Amino acid sequence: DGGITQSPKYLFRKEGQNVTLSCEQNLNHDAMYWYRQDPGQGLRLIYYSQIVNDFQKGDIAEGYSVSREKKESFPLTVTSAQKNPTAFYLCASSHMGVRVRNQPQHFGDGTRLSIL
Amino acid sequence: DQQVKQNSPSLSVQEGRISILNCDYTNSMFDYFLWYKKYPAEGPTFLISISSIKDKNEDGRFTVFLNKSAKHLSLHIVPSQPGDSAVYFCAARGPPGEAGTALIFGKGTTLSVSS
């Protein structure tokens, strides 16, 4: 089945520690995204990538880093510089290009990150 | 400043009746709008979308209406079913060149359908 896989589902971080959230897709999508959801809030964009080896900051990129070495993978690292990392993190992907422009983003099932 | 607003945090409806979820936006450059449904601890699931060149799109029990002059869209669910109980997010996307195809989301409306 085609889809987006996020792992782990639950993750705990100690103070001063970096943690990496995995996101893999087999939908052959060019674009991938990371969002953060806090209670009672909508989804806010952290980073996005439209092509391999290229990515752009979203609205709340501070304290996060990403890489896009393969089309299928877009891992997110939550660094110790992120002072309020407790949240639900969602990865998404979509097609790119004029012909497929009006296509929805598809989401994984998320990773919940908590601080120990 | 919120560019996509869902002003009703919650909505309660009886089974079989119509559910109407509302969304307002401020950026007239948005050209594609989507509704997602989300259950707790899961990712959002795409429901229905509409391009800015249309004013209505229908898919089974779900219809989305777009009023560009009012910068307002709504999602109608008819008839509502208990399984529709979830959080519904409205999202919008700007034209090419602005954050790629990334979406801007409202804060969501929690729909509860009672039997």
Side-chain angles (χ1 to χ4, degrees), chain A residues 9 31 33 35 37 40-43 45 48 50 88 90 94 96 101-105 107-109, chain B residues 31-32 34 36 38 41-44 46 51 89 93-96 99-103 105-107:
Chain A
K9 192 161 182 65
Y33 313 83
Y35 294 90
Q37 185 190 16
Q41 301 293 318
L43 282 64
L45 182 66
Y48 66 100
Q50 299 181 67
F88 191 51
L90 287 156
S94 70
M96 287 286 297
R101 179 164 161 71
N102 286 350
Q103 296 271 337
Q105 289 183 13
F107 285 82
D109 276 341
Chain B
D31 67 347
Y32 183 54
L34 309 89
Y36 284 85
K38 185 180 181 300
E42 294 184 9
F46 169 71
S51 163
F89 288 102
R93 187 198 64 203
T101 55
L103 299 175
F105 284 82
K107 292 187 176 182

Side-chain angles (χ1 to χ4, degrees), chain B residues 8-13 18-22 75 86 109-113:
Chain B
S8 297
S10 62
L11 175 66
S12 295
V13 172
I18 184 171
S19 294
I20 300 176
L21 293 96
N22 294 303
L75 174 68
T109 296
T110 300
L111 174 65
S112 300
V113 180

Side-chain angles (χ1 to χ4, degrees), chain B residues 64-106:
Chain B
V64 57
F65 295 92
L66 176 62
N67 182 334
K68 289 187 291 294
S69 61
K71 295 191 181 70
H72 176 83
L73 66 155
S74 61
L75 174 68
H76 292 209
I77 306 173
V78 184
S80 302
Q81 301 173 353
D84 295 330
S85 298
V87 179
Y88 289 78
F89 288 102
C90 169
R93 187 198 64 203
E98 293 187 19
T101 55
L103 299 175
I104 299 173
F105 284 82

Side-chain angles (χ1 to χ4, degrees), chain B residues 50-57 63-68:
Chain B
I50 187 166
S51 163
S52 59
I53 62 173
K54 295 185 176 182
D55 54 19
K56 177 183 174 180
N57 188 25
T63 302
V64 57
F65 295 92
L66 176 62
N67 182 334
K68 289 187 291 294

Side-chain angles (χ1 to χ4, degrees), chain A residues 15-27:
Chain A
E15 294 288 342
Q17 188 180 45
N18 292 355
V19 291
T20 298
L21 285 61
S22 170
C23 179
E24 303 276 334
Q25 55 98 1
N26 60 3
L27 299 167

